[in-house]
Amino acid sequence: MTLIHEPESWQTYWRFGVGQTVRDNLLIVARKTEESPIIGFCWVDAAMYHDHGVEEPWWCLNALAVVPDYRRSGIGRSLVNVVKRQADKVGIASIYGVCYPSTVDFWSAQGFSVTARGGSLEADRLVRLKDQEVKLGPLSDGEGDCMFVRANELCAPDAAHLRVRPG
């Protein structure tokens, strides 16, 4: 993540994408002015595709951070709203991630469903993996944190969508 401060590196490293396709990554930064230091950022990618070959149009919101002096000023909300708009634009069926229990209210206020501590997510149907469909086991962070998800039923209606797993 040290290359986050070097915009010319964004073209070289796969994680610094612009979110133009389902498989692209998206990095958004917040600054007061173009010349000022970064005061927040959000990083999203197609982690399940890259790590496990899941063909569904899902994005993992890997990181959202705001400098302490700027927290509770709407920057995090604005960054998440940009992610949601771009996800809708390119046809992302679900955005998911892991969060601390202390941030559950934030994610809920952004329109995400959030699991209880140690909870998990599941797909609402079989999941496409390369040229096959499989039942995906529950997605869990395994660390006792919470998971959040926003499923967009209007995007990619033939795709599996993630949801909070009951129980």
Side-chain angles (χ1 to χ4, degrees):
M1 293 306 294
T2 58
L3 297 174
I4 195 170
H5 299 288
E6 300 174 18
E8 60 276 1
S9 300
W10 300 359
Q11 302 302 314
T12 308
Y13 296 90
W14 68 271
R15 65 172 137 198
F16 300 127
V18 293
Q20 294 296 318
T21 69
V22 169
R23 299 292 173 245
D24 198 3
N25 302 286
L26 177 61
L27 176 70
I28 306 160
V29 297
R31 299 173 184 221
K32 285 178 126 181
T33 68
E34 198 170 308
E35 295 81 30
S36 65
I38 293 172
I39 58 175
F41 76 93
C42 188
W43 170 42
V44 180
D45 73 0
M48 291 296 286
Y49 173 77
H50 295 298
D51 296 344
H52 305 289
V54 172
E55 297 281 346
E56 302 301 338
W58 299 341
W59 271 353
C60 180
L61 201 155
N62 294 295
L64 173 66
V66 176
V67 171
D69 289 348
Y70 292 93
R71 290 183 185 153
R72 299 194 179 281
S73 66
I75 293 170
R77 179 181 64 243
S78 294
L79 290 167
V80 171
N81 284 337
V82 171
V83 168
K84 292 190 297 189
R85 284 193 305 272
Q86 193 61 25
D88 290 348
K89 183 177 174 183
V90 300
I92 298 299
S94 296
I95 302 170
Y96 69 96
V98 176
C99 67
Y100 297 117
S102 61
T103 64
V104 166
D105 290 342
F106 171 82
W107 291 106
S108 295
Q110 307 319 306
F112 288 79
S113 298
V114 185
T115 69
R117 182 177 221 148
S120 59
L121 304 178
E122 67 181 7
D124 64 354
R125 63 186 87 167
L126 293 176
V127 172
R128 293 173 290 178
L129 266 180
K130 303 289 179 196
D131 292 319
Q132 60 182 325
E133 290 187 353
V134 298
K135 181 171 173 47
L136 184 70
L139 300 180
S140 176
D141 70 281
E143 299 294 326
D145 287 329
C146 303
M147 295 195 75
F148 58 87
V149 65
R150 174 186 181 259
N152 186 347
E153 305 289 331
L154 300 176
C155 282
D158 61 331
H161 294 80
L162 291 171
R163 62 183 177 204
V164 171
R165 185 172 185 228

mmCIF file of all heavy atoms in Angstrom, residues 14-27 43-63 83 87 90-97 128-130 139 162:
data_model
loop_
_atom_site.group_PDB
_atom_site.id
_atom_site.type_symbol
_atom_site.label_atom_id
_atom_site.label_comp_id
_atom_site.label_asym_id
_atom_site.label_seq_id
_atom_site.Cartn_x
_atom_site.Cartn_y
_atom_site.Cartn_z
ATOM 1 N N TRP A 14 -1.950 -4.074 -10.322
ATOM 2 C CA TRP A 14 -3.334 -4.460 -10.597
ATOM 3 C C TRP A 14 -4.316 -3.930 -9.571
ATOM 4 O O TRP A 14 -5.459 -3.699 -9.862
ATOM 5 C CB TRP A 14 -3.452 -5.981 -10.718
ATOM 6 C CG TRP A 14 -3.230 -6.723 -9.434
ATOM 7 C CD1 TRP A 14 -2.038 -7.179 -8.948
ATOM 8 C CD2 TRP A 14 -4.191 -7.085 -8.470
ATOM 9 N NE1 TRP A 14 -2.182 -7.795 -7.744
ATOM 10 C CE2 TRP A 14 -3.523 -7.756 -7.419
ATOM 11 C CE3 TRP A 14 -5.564 -6.910 -8.361
ATOM 12 C CZ2 TRP A 14 -4.180 -8.241 -6.304
ATOM 13 C CZ3 TRP A 14 -6.213 -7.406 -7.246
ATOM 14 C CH2 TRP A 14 -5.516 -8.060 -6.237
ATOM 15 N N ARG A 15 -3.904 -3.725 -8.345
ATOM 16 C CA ARG A 15 -4.857 -3.308 -7.328
ATOM 17 C C ARG A 15 -5.262 -1.846 -7.423
ATOM 18 O O ARG A 15 -6.171 -1.412 -6.769
ATOM 19 C CB ARG A 15 -4.336 -3.624 -5.942
ATOM 20 C CG ARG A 15 -3.113 -2.864 -5.546
ATOM 21 C CD ARG A 15 -2.837 -3.125 -4.088
ATOM 22 N NE ARG A 15 -1.439 -3.345 -3.864
ATOM 23 C CZ ARG A 15 -0.953 -3.919 -2.794
ATOM 24 N NH1 ARG A 15 -1.755 -4.370 -1.883
ATOM 25 N NH2 ARG A 15 0.319 -4.065 -2.631
ATOM 26 N N PHE A 16 -4.599 -1.073 -8.262
ATOM 27 C CA PHE A 16 -4.924 0.336 -8.392
ATOM 28 C C PHE A 16 -5.728 0.577 -9.656
ATOM 29 O O PHE A 16 -5.281 1.252 -10.571
ATOM 30 C CB PHE A 16 -3.663 1.189 -8.381
ATOM 31 C CG PHE A 16 -2.868 1.043 -7.121
ATOM 32 C CD1 PHE A 16 -1.531 0.719 -7.163
ATOM 33 C CD2 PHE A 16 -3.459 1.233 -5.885
ATOM 34 C CE1 PHE A 16 -0.794 0.594 -5.997
ATOM 35 C CE2 PHE A 16 -2.736 1.104 -4.716
ATOM 36 C CZ PHE A 16 -1.398 0.784 -4.773
ATOM 37 N N GLY A 17 -6.924 0.037 -9.720
ATOM 38 C CA GLY A 17 -7.760 0.173 -10.903
ATOM 39 C C GLY A 17 -8.764 1.301 -10.778
ATOM 40 O O GLY A 17 -8.828 2.013 -9.779
ATOM 41 N N VAL A 18 -9.560 1.445 -11.833
ATOM 42 C CA VAL A 18 -10.554 2.511 -11.889
ATOM 43 C C VAL A 18 -11.987 1.980 -11.904
ATOM 44 O O VAL A 18 -12.928 2.731 -12.095
ATOM 45 C CB VAL A 18 -10.297 3.435 -13.097
ATOM 46 C CG1 VAL A 18 -9.008 4.209 -12.912
ATOM 47 C CG2 VAL A 18 -10.268 2.640 -14.399
ATOM 48 N N GLY A 19 -12.161 0.664 -11.713
ATOM 49 C CA GLY A 19 -13.500 0.101 -11.574
ATOM 50 C C GLY A 19 -14.359 0.202 -12.811
ATOM 51 O O GLY A 19 -15.563 0.366 -12.706
ATOM 52 N N GLN A 20 -13.768 0.057 -13.993
ATOM 53 C CA GLN A 20 -14.532 0.189 -15.233
ATOM 54 C C GLN A 20 -15.191 -1.112 -15.681
ATOM 55 O O GLN A 20 -16.049 -1.083 -16.553
ATOM 56 C CB GLN A 20 -13.635 0.719 -16.350
ATOM 57 C CG GLN A 20 -13.153 2.130 -16.104
ATOM 58 C CD GLN A 20 -14.280 3.141 -16.074
ATOM 59 O OE1 GLN A 20 -15.192 3.087 -16.887
ATOM 60 N NE2 GLN A 20 -14.226 4.058 -15.123
ATOM 61 N N THR A 21 -14.766 -2.249 -15.113
ATOM 62 C CA THR A 21 -15.369 -3.533 -15.459
ATOM 63 C C THR A 21 -15.554 -4.344 -14.179
ATOM 64 O O THR A 21 -15.021 -3.999 -13.119
ATOM 65 C CB THR A 21 -14.465 -4.351 -16.420
ATOM 66 O OG1 THR A 21 -13.298 -4.775 -15.708
ATOM 67 C CG2 THR A 21 -14.075 -3.548 -17.645
ATOM 68 N N VAL A 22 -16.273 -5.430 -14.291
ATOM 69 C CA VAL A 22 -16.521 -6.303 -13.147
ATOM 70 C C VAL A 22 -15.220 -6.838 -12.569
ATOM 71 O O VAL A 22 -15.089 -6.986 -11.355
ATOM 72 C CB VAL A 22 -17.447 -7.471 -13.574
ATOM 73 C CG1 VAL A 22 -17.521 -8.539 -12.506
ATOM 74 C CG2 VAL A 22 -18.843 -6.942 -13.900
ATOM 75 N N ARG A 23 -14.228 -7.111 -13.390
ATOM 76 C CA ARG A 23 -12.958 -7.687 -12.919
ATOM 77 C C ARG A 23 -11.927 -6.623 -12.540
ATOM 78 O O ARG A 23 -10.868 -6.933 -12.039
ATOM 79 C CB ARG A 23 -12.350 -8.596 -13.986
ATOM 80 C CG ARG A 23 -13.235 -9.765 -14.332
ATOM 81 C CD ARG A 23 -13.361 -10.757 -13.192
ATOM 82 N NE ARG A 23 -14.337 -11.755 -13.544
ATOM 83 C CZ ARG A 23 -15.489 -11.940 -12.925
ATOM 84 N NH1 ARG A 23 -15.810 -11.204 -11.890
ATOM 85 N NH2 ARG A 23 -16.327 -12.856 -13.311
ATOM 86 N N ASP A 24 -12.233 -5.383 -12.812
ATOM 87 C CA ASP A 24 -11.305 -4.309 -12.490
ATOM 88 C C ASP A 24 -11.328 -4.026 -10.992
ATOM 89 O O ASP A 24 -12.277 -4.372 -10.289
ATOM 90 C CB ASP A 24 -11.710 -3.041 -13.251
ATOM 91 C CG ASP A 24 -10.612 -1.999 -13.348
ATOM 92 O OD1 ASP A 24 -9.490 -2.256 -12.884
ATOM 93 O OD2 ASP A 24 -10.889 -0.923 -13.918
ATOM 94 N N ASN A 25 -10.289 -3.414 -10.522
ATOM 95 C CA ASN A 25 -10.199 -2.975 -9.139
ATOM 96 C C ASN A 25 -10.521 -1.496 -9.105
ATOM 97 O O ASN A 25 -10.466 -0.817 -10.127
ATOM 98 C CB ASN A 25 -8.790 -3.228 -8.611
ATOM 99 C CG ASN A 25 -8.454 -4.685 -8.742
ATOM 100 O OD1 ASN A 25 -8.944 -5.503 -7.994
ATOM 101 N ND2 ASN A 25 -7.639 -5.023 -9.738
ATOM 102 N N LEU A 26 -10.830 -1.008 -7.932
ATOM 103 C CA LEU A 26 -11.201 0.396 -7.799
ATOM 104 C C LEU A 26 -10.519 0.964 -6.570
ATOM 105 O O LEU A 26 -10.649 0.431 -5.473
ATOM 106 C CB LEU A 26 -12.728 0.512 -7.664
ATOM 107 C CG LEU A 26 -13.325 1.886 -7.440
ATOM 108 C CD1 LEU A 26 -13.003 2.825 -8.594
ATOM 109 C CD2 LEU A 26 -14.833 1.761 -7.271
ATOM 110 N N LEU A 27 -9.765 2.023 -6.776
ATOM 111 C CA LEU A 27 -9.135 2.736 -5.678
ATOM 112 C C LEU A 27 -9.589 4.187 -5.767
ATOM 113 O O LEU A 27 -9.419 4.829 -6.794
ATOM 114 C CB LEU A 27 -7.613 2.672 -5.755
ATOM 115 C CG LEU A 27 -6.892 3.485 -4.674
ATOM 116 C CD1 LEU A 27 -7.079 2.849 -3.307
ATOM 117 C CD2 LEU A 27 -5.427 3.639 -5.006
ATOM 118 N N TRP A 43 -10.591 0.901 -1.195
ATOM 119 C CA TRP A 43 -10.027 -0.028 -2.173
ATOM 120 C C TRP A 43 -10.958 -1.226 -2.319
ATOM 121 O O TRP A 43 -11.323 -1.876 -1.336
ATOM 122 C CB TRP A 43 -8.638 -0.461 -1.732
ATOM 123 C CG TRP A 43 -8.062 -1.593 -2.519
ATOM 124 C CD1 TRP A 43 -8.116 -1.784 -3.861
ATOM 125 C CD2 TRP A 43 -7.343 -2.705 -1.989
ATOM 126 N NE1 TRP A 43 -7.463 -2.939 -4.209
ATOM 127 C CE2 TRP A 43 -6.983 -3.520 -3.075
ATOM 128 C CE3 TRP A 43 -6.955 -3.081 -0.708
ATOM 129 C CZ2 TRP A 43 -6.273 -4.695 -2.918
ATOM 130 C CZ3 TRP A 43 -6.246 -4.253 -0.561
ATOM 131 C CH2 TRP A 43 -5.901 -5.042 -1.657
ATOM 132 N N VAL A 44 -11.336 -1.516 -3.564
ATOM 133 C CA VAL A 44 -12.283 -2.581 -3.889
ATOM 134 C C VAL A 44 -11.675 -3.441 -5.000
ATOM 135 O O VAL A 44 -11.019 -2.915 -5.902
ATOM 136 C CB VAL A 44 -13.613 -1.973 -4.389
ATOM 137 C CG1 VAL A 44 -14.620 -3.039 -4.732
ATOM 138 C CG2 VAL A 44 -14.183 -1.009 -3.372
ATOM 139 N N ASP A 45 -11.909 -4.757 -4.929
ATOM 140 C CA ASP A 45 -11.480 -5.621 -6.032
ATOM 141 C C ASP A 45 -12.378 -6.849 -6.132
ATOM 142 O O ASP A 45 -13.257 -7.063 -5.322
ATOM 143 C CB ASP A 45 -10.011 -6.013 -5.906
ATOM 144 C CG ASP A 45 -9.705 -7.018 -4.812
ATOM 145 O OD1 ASP A 45 -10.631 -7.454 -4.094
ATOM 146 O OD2 ASP A 45 -8.529 -7.373 -4.651
ATOM 147 N N ALA A 46 -12.132 -7.633 -7.181
ATOM 148 C CA ALA A 46 -12.875 -8.872 -7.417
ATOM 149 C C ALA A 46 -12.125 -10.025 -6.759
ATOM 150 O O ALA A 46 -11.681 -10.971 -7.410
ATOM 151 C CB ALA A 46 -13.037 -9.095 -8.918
ATOM 152 N N ALA A 47 -11.989 -9.980 -5.452
ATOM 153 C CA ALA A 47 -11.156 -10.934 -4.704
ATOM 154 C C ALA A 47 -11.578 -12.386 -4.908
ATOM 155 O O ALA A 47 -10.716 -13.255 -5.063
ATOM 156 C CB ALA A 47 -11.178 -10.594 -3.212
ATOM 157 N N MET A 48 -12.867 -12.674 -4.883
ATOM 158 C CA MET A 48 -13.299 -14.067 -5.036
ATOM 159 C C MET A 48 -12.951 -14.613 -6.424
ATOM 160 O O MET A 48 -12.671 -15.793 -6.582
ATOM 161 C CB MET A 48 -14.804 -14.202 -4.773
ATOM 162 C CG MET A 48 -15.192 -13.970 -3.326
ATOM 163 S SD MET A 48 -14.484 -15.193 -2.205
ATOM 164 C CE MET A 48 -15.484 -16.605 -2.587
ATOM 165 N N TYR A 49 -12.945 -13.763 -7.424
ATOM 166 C CA TYR A 49 -12.538 -14.172 -8.758
ATOM 167 C C TYR A 49 -11.024 -14.434 -8.790
ATOM 168 O O TYR A 49 -10.570 -15.474 -9.241
ATOM 169 C CB TYR A 49 -12.912 -13.107 -9.785
ATOM 170 C CG TYR A 49 -12.376 -13.386 -11.162
ATOM 171 C CD1 TYR A 49 -12.977 -14.342 -11.974
ATOM 172 C CD2 TYR A 49 -11.259 -12.718 -11.649
ATOM 173 C CE1 TYR A 49 -12.476 -14.618 -13.237
ATOM 174 C CE2 TYR A 49 -10.756 -12.988 -12.905
ATOM 175 C CZ TYR A 49 -11.368 -13.936 -13.697
ATOM 176 O OH TYR A 49 -10.863 -14.217 -14.946
ATOM 177 N N HIS A 50 -10.251 -13.470 -8.295
ATOM 178 C CA HIS A 50 -8.796 -13.594 -8.327
ATOM 179 C C HIS A 50 -8.289 -14.735 -7.441
ATOM 180 O O HIS A 50 -7.367 -15.446 -7.808
ATOM 181 C CB HIS A 50 -8.134 -12.288 -7.888
ATOM 182 C CG HIS A 50 -8.402 -11.149 -8.818
ATOM 183 N ND1 HIS A 50 -8.006 -11.137 -10.138
ATOM 184 C CD2 HIS A 50 -9.059 -9.984 -8.619
ATOM 185 C CE1 HIS A 50 -8.394 -10.027 -10.710
ATOM 186 N NE2 HIS A 50 -9.027 -9.302 -9.813
ATOM 187 N N ASP A 51 -8.895 -14.911 -6.277
ATOM 188 C CA ASP A 51 -8.399 -15.896 -5.315
ATOM 189 C C ASP A 51 -8.982 -17.292 -5.491
ATOM 190 O O ASP A 51 -8.331 -18.278 -5.173
ATOM 191 C CB ASP A 51 -8.679 -15.428 -3.884
ATOM 192 C CG ASP A 51 -7.930 -14.159 -3.531
ATOM 193 O OD1 ASP A 51 -6.976 -13.801 -4.257
ATOM 194 O OD2 ASP A 51 -8.305 -13.518 -2.539
ATOM 195 N N HIS A 52 -10.235 -17.376 -5.987
ATOM 196 C CA HIS A 52 -10.910 -18.679 -6.010
ATOM 197 C C HIS A 52 -11.601 -19.009 -7.331
ATOM 198 O O HIS A 52 -12.276 -20.027 -7.428
ATOM 199 C CB HIS A 52 -11.940 -18.756 -4.877
ATOM 200 C CG HIS A 52 -11.349 -18.476 -3.531
ATOM 201 N ND1 HIS A 52 -10.501 -19.341 -2.894
ATOM 202 C CD2 HIS A 52 -11.456 -17.392 -2.721
ATOM 203 C CE1 HIS A 52 -10.124 -18.825 -1.736
ATOM 204 N NE2 HIS A 52 -10.677 -17.641 -1.612
ATOM 205 N N GLY A 53 -11.500 -18.145 -8.328
ATOM 206 C CA GLY A 53 -12.113 -18.421 -9.621
ATOM 207 C C GLY A 53 -13.615 -18.260 -9.663
ATOM 208 O O GLY A 53 -14.266 -18.756 -10.582
ATOM 209 N N VAL A 54 -14.199 -17.573 -8.686
ATOM 210 C CA VAL A 54 -15.649 -17.355 -8.677
ATOM 211 C C VAL A 54 -15.980 -16.355 -9.780
ATOM 212 O O VAL A 54 -15.451 -15.247 -9.812
ATOM 213 C CB VAL A 54 -16.127 -16.837 -7.306
ATOM 214 C CG1 VAL A 54 -17.588 -16.432 -7.354
ATOM 215 C CG2 VAL A 54 -15.897 -17.898 -6.239
ATOM 216 N N GLU A 55 -16.846 -16.753 -10.687
ATOM 217 C CA GLU A 55 -17.201 -15.934 -11.846
ATOM 218 C C GLU A 55 -18.289 -14.893 -11.558
ATOM 219 O O GLU A 55 -18.591 -14.087 -12.427
ATOM 220 C CB GLU A 55 -17.670 -16.839 -12.993
ATOM 221 C CG GLU A 55 -16.607 -17.778 -13.504
ATOM 222 C CD GLU A 55 -15.621 -17.103 -14.445
ATOM 223 O OE1 GLU A 55 -15.894 -15.977 -14.909
ATOM 224 O OE2 GLU A 55 -14.567 -17.698 -14.710
ATOM 225 N N GLU A 56 -18.892 -14.927 -10.411
ATOM 226 C CA GLU A 56 -19.981 -13.995 -10.104
ATOM 227 C C GLU A 56 -19.458 -12.557 -10.053
ATOM 228 O O GLU A 56 -18.317 -12.318 -9.674
ATOM 229 C CB GLU A 56 -20.632 -14.359 -8.767
ATOM 230 C CG GLU A 56 -21.192 -15.759 -8.686
ATOM 231 C CD GLU A 56 -22.266 -16.077 -9.717
ATOM 232 O OE1 GLU A 56 -22.917 -15.153 -10.276
ATOM 233 O OE2 GLU A 56 -22.459 -17.273 -9.996
ATOM 234 N N PRO A 57 -20.292 -11.592 -10.419
ATOM 235 C CA PRO A 57 -19.876 -10.191 -10.392
ATOM 236 C C PRO A 57 -19.951 -9.609 -8.977
ATOM 237 O O PRO A 57 -20.875 -8.881 -8.632
ATOM 238 C CB PRO A 57 -20.876 -9.511 -11.347
ATOM 239 C CG PRO A 57 -22.108 -10.358 -11.265
ATOM 240 C CD PRO A 57 -21.626 -11.764 -11.014
ATOM 241 N N TRP A 58 -18.970 -9.964 -8.167
ATOM 242 C CA TRP A 58 -18.904 -9.499 -6.779
ATOM 243 C C TRP A 58 -17.647 -8.670 -6.592
ATOM 244 O O TRP A 58 -16.588 -8.996 -7.146
ATOM 245 C CB TRP A 58 -18.828 -10.675 -5.804
ATOM 246 C CG TRP A 58 -19.971 -11.618 -5.816
ATOM 247 C CD1 TRP A 58 -21.224 -11.420 -6.304
ATOM 248 C CD2 TRP A 58 -19.975 -12.948 -5.282
ATOM 249 N NE1 TRP A 58 -21.997 -12.536 -6.126
ATOM 250 C CE2 TRP A 58 -21.251 -13.493 -5.492
ATOM 251 C CE3 TRP A 58 -19.010 -13.726 -4.661
ATOM 252 C CZ2 TRP A 58 -21.597 -14.779 -5.089
ATOM 253 C CZ3 TRP A 58 -19.351 -15.007 -4.258
ATOM 254 C CH2 TRP A 58 -20.634 -15.522 -4.463
ATOM 255 N N TRP A 59 -17.756 -7.659 -5.768
ATOM 256 C CA TRP A 59 -16.588 -6.878 -5.371
ATOM 257 C C TRP A 59 -16.402 -6.994 -3.872
ATOM 258 O O TRP A 59 -17.371 -6.952 -3.114
ATOM 259 C CB TRP A 59 -16.761 -5.404 -5.713
ATOM 260 C CG TRP A 59 -16.284 -5.018 -7.085
ATOM 261 C CD1 TRP A 59 -15.610 -5.789 -7.976
ATOM 262 C CD2 TRP A 59 -16.459 -3.743 -7.701
ATOM 263 N NE1 TRP A 59 -15.344 -5.075 -9.113
ATOM 264 C CE2 TRP A 59 -15.854 -3.810 -8.973
ATOM 265 C CE3 TRP A 59 -17.062 -2.558 -7.309
ATOM 266 C CZ2 TRP A 59 -15.842 -2.726 -9.846
ATOM 267 C CZ3 TRP A 59 -17.044 -1.494 -8.180
ATOM 268 C CH2 TRP A 59 -16.438 -1.582 -9.441
ATOM 269 N N CYS A 60 -15.170 -7.113 -3.450
ATOM 270 C CA CYS A 60 -14.815 -7.105 -2.032
ATOM 271 C C CYS A 60 -14.302 -5.710 -1.688
ATOM 272 O O CYS A 60 -13.355 -5.227 -2.311
ATOM 273 C CB CYS A 60 -13.734 -8.145 -1.746
ATOM 274 S SG CYS A 60 -13.242 -8.182 -0.008
ATOM 275 N N LEU A 61 -14.929 -5.091 -0.723
ATOM 276 C CA LEU A 61 -14.460 -3.799 -0.238
ATOM 277 C C LEU A 61 -13.404 -4.117 0.814
ATOM 278 O O LEU A 61 -13.716 -4.437 1.944
ATOM 279 C CB LEU A 61 -15.627 -2.987 0.342
ATOM 280 C CG LEU A 61 -15.407 -1.489 0.409
ATOM 281 C CD1 LEU A 61 -16.742 -0.765 0.388
ATOM 282 C CD2 LEU A 61 -14.586 -1.103 1.586
ATOM 283 N N ASN A 62 -12.152 -4.088 0.380
ATOM 284 C CA ASN A 62 -11.025 -4.520 1.201
ATOM 285 C C ASN A 62 -10.628 -3.524 2.270
ATOM 286 O O ASN A 62 -10.182 -3.909 3.348
ATOM 287 C CB ASN A 62 -9.796 -4.767 0.322
ATOM 288 C CG ASN A 62 -9.999 -5.925 -0.601
ATOM 289 O OD1 ASN A 62 -10.144 -7.046 -0.168
ATOM 290 N ND2 ASN A 62 -10.023 -5.658 -1.894
ATOM 291 N N ALA A 63 -10.722 -2.255 1.955
ATOM 292 C CA ALA A 63 -10.234 -1.251 2.898
ATOM 293 C C ALA A 63 -10.980 0.058 2.712
ATOM 294 O O ALA A 63 -11.238 0.484 1.588
ATOM 295 C CB ALA A 63 -8.744 -1.025 2.702
ATOM 296 N N VAL A 83 -18.248 4.015 -4.534
ATOM 297 C CA VAL A 83 -18.137 2.576 -4.802
ATOM 298 C C VAL A 83 -19.489 2.006 -5.230
ATOM 299 O O VAL A 83 -19.579 1.280 -6.220
ATOM 300 C CB VAL A 83 -17.595 1.816 -3.571
ATOM 301 C CG1 VAL A 83 -17.756 0.308 -3.748
ATOM 302 C CG2 VAL A 83 -16.143 2.161 -3.329
ATOM 303 N N ALA A 87 -20.234 0.407 -8.823
ATOM 304 C CA ALA A 87 -20.642 -1.001 -8.850
ATOM 305 C C ALA A 87 -21.939 -1.168 -9.632
ATOM 306 O O ALA A 87 -22.071 -2.090 -10.446
ATOM 307 C CB ALA A 87 -20.795 -1.529 -7.423
ATOM 308 N N VAL A 90 -21.276 -0.824 -13.486
ATOM 309 C CA VAL A 90 -20.623 -1.935 -14.198
ATOM 310 C C VAL A 90 -21.306 -3.280 -13.965
ATOM 311 O O VAL A 90 -20.848 -4.296 -14.480
ATOM 312 C CB VAL A 90 -19.113 -2.027 -13.882
ATOM 313 C CG1 VAL A 90 -18.406 -0.751 -14.297
ATOM 314 C CG2 VAL A 90 -18.838 -2.369 -12.445
ATOM 315 N N GLY A 91 -22.392 -3.310 -13.179
ATOM 316 C CA GLY A 91 -23.159 -4.548 -13.011
ATOM 317 C C GLY A 91 -22.702 -5.460 -11.899
ATOM 318 O O GLY A 91 -22.798 -6.687 -12.018
ATOM 319 N N ILE A 92 -22.221 -4.908 -10.810
ATOM 320 C CA ILE A 92 -21.807 -5.717 -9.661
ATOM 321 C C ILE A 92 -23.052 -6.169 -8.898
ATOM 322 O O ILE A 92 -23.878 -5.353 -8.492
ATOM 323 C CB ILE A 92 -20.865 -4.915 -8.736
ATOM 324 C CG1 ILE A 92 -19.590 -4.528 -9.484
ATOM 325 C CG2 ILE A 92 -20.557 -5.673 -7.455
ATOM 326 C CD1 ILE A 92 -18.757 -5.694 -9.978
ATOM 327 N N ALA A 93 -23.170 -7.472 -8.693
ATOM 328 C CA ALA A 93 -24.341 -8.036 -8.006
ATOM 329 C C ALA A 93 -24.250 -7.876 -6.491
ATOM 330 O O ALA A 93 -25.258 -7.699 -5.823
ATOM 331 C CB ALA A 93 -24.506 -9.509 -8.364
ATOM 332 N N SER A 94 -23.038 -7.969 -5.930
ATOM 333 C CA SER A 94 -22.865 -7.868 -4.478
ATOM 334 C C SER A 94 -21.523 -7.233 -4.142
ATOM 335 O O SER A 94 -20.516 -7.524 -4.783
ATOM 336 C CB SER A 94 -22.917 -9.252 -3.813
ATOM 337 O OG SER A 94 -24.180 -9.849 -3.975
ATOM 338 N N ILE A 95 -21.565 -6.372 -3.129
ATOM 339 C CA ILE A 95 -20.348 -5.808 -2.530
ATOM 340 C C ILE A 95 -20.305 -6.355 -1.111
ATOM 341 O O ILE A 95 -21.319 -6.304 -0.404
ATOM 342 C CB ILE A 95 -20.400 -4.274 -2.470
ATOM 343 C CG1 ILE A 95 -20.586 -3.673 -3.856
ATOM 344 C CG2 ILE A 95 -19.129 -3.731 -1.805
ATOM 345 C CD1 ILE A 95 -20.895 -2.181 -3.819
ATOM 346 N N TYR A 96 -19.166 -6.864 -0.699
ATOM 347 C CA TYR A 96 -19.065 -7.449 0.641
ATOM 348 C C TYR A 96 -17.720 -7.108 1.258
ATOM 349 O O TYR A 96 -16.798 -6.644 0.575
ATOM 350 C CB TYR A 96 -19.245 -8.971 0.578
ATOM 351 C CG TYR A 96 -18.092 -9.654 -0.110
ATOM 352 C CD1 TYR A 96 -17.041 -10.203 0.624
ATOM 353 C CD2 TYR A 96 -18.025 -9.728 -1.499
ATOM 354 C CE1 TYR A 96 -15.970 -10.807 -0.002
ATOM 355 C CE2 TYR A 96 -16.954 -10.333 -2.137
ATOM 356 C CZ TYR A 96 -15.933 -10.867 -1.391
ATOM 357 O OH TYR A 96 -14.865 -11.455 -2.004
ATOM 358 N N GLY A 97 -17.602 -7.366 2.551
ATOM 359 C CA GLY A 97 -16.334 -7.156 3.234
ATOM 360 C C GLY A 97 -16.421 -7.537 4.696
ATOM 361 O O GLY A 97 -17.456 -8.010 5.168
ATOM 362 N N ARG A 128 -21.177 -19.687 -9.998
ATOM 363 C CA ARG A 128 -20.403 -20.079 -11.187
ATOM 364 C C ARG A 128 -18.913 -20.050 -10.879
ATOM 365 O O ARG A 128 -18.381 -19.062 -10.409
ATOM 366 C CB ARG A 128 -20.715 -19.139 -12.350
ATOM 367 C CG ARG A 128 -22.140 -19.269 -12.844
ATOM 368 C CD ARG A 128 -22.448 -18.232 -13.864
ATOM 369 N NE ARG A 128 -22.492 -16.937 -13.168
ATOM 370 C CZ ARG A 128 -22.696 -15.778 -13.767
ATOM 371 N NH1 ARG A 128 -22.839 -15.725 -15.068
ATOM 372 N NH2 ARG A 128 -22.740 -14.661 -13.068
ATOM 373 N N LEU A 129 -18.269 -21.182 -11.150
ATOM 374 C CA LEU A 129 -16.812 -21.323 -11.008
ATOM 375 C C LEU A 129 -16.277 -21.829 -12.330
ATOM 376 O O LEU A 129 -16.531 -22.977 -12.683
ATOM 377 C CB LEU A 129 -16.471 -22.371 -9.956
ATOM 378 C CG LEU A 129 -16.202 -21.978 -8.538
ATOM 379 C CD1 LEU A 129 -15.880 -23.204 -7.710
ATOM 380 C CD2 LEU A 129 -15.114 -20.964 -8.423
ATOM 381 N N LYS A 130 -15.604 -20.993 -13.074
ATOM 382 C CA LYS A 130 -15.109 -21.372 -14.401
ATOM 383 C C LYS A 130 -16.244 -22.039 -15.179
ATOM 384 O O LYS A 130 -17.267 -21.510 -15.296
ATOM 385 C CB LYS A 130 -13.862 -22.225 -14.293
ATOM 386 C CG LYS A 130 -12.750 -21.551 -13.536
ATOM 387 C CD LYS A 130 -12.129 -20.402 -14.291
ATOM 388 C CE LYS A 130 -11.040 -19.743 -13.459
ATOM 389 N NZ LYS A 130 -10.667 -18.464 -13.938
ATOM 390 N N LEU A 139 -19.157 -17.733 3.615
ATOM 391 C CA LEU A 139 -18.015 -16.828 3.661
ATOM 392 C C LEU A 139 -17.934 -16.262 5.063
ATOM 393 O O LEU A 139 -18.892 -15.690 5.567
ATOM 394 C CB LEU A 139 -18.196 -15.663 2.684
ATOM 395 C CG LEU A 139 -18.342 -15.982 1.215
ATOM 396 C CD1 LEU A 139 -18.521 -14.690 0.430
ATOM 397 C CD2 LEU A 139 -17.145 -16.743 0.713
ATOM 398 N N LEU A 162 -24.919 -12.305 -2.806
ATOM 399 C CA LEU A 162 -24.557 -12.632 -1.415
ATOM 400 C C LEU A 162 -25.576 -12.044 -0.459
ATOM 401 O O LEU A 162 -26.169 -10.999 -0.729
ATOM 402 C CB LEU A 162 -23.168 -12.104 -1.086
ATOM 403 C CG LEU A 162 -22.015 -12.800 -1.791
ATOM 404 C CD1 LEU A 162 -20.709 -12.029 -1.557
ATOM 405 C CD2 LEU A 162 -21.882 -14.233 -1.302
#
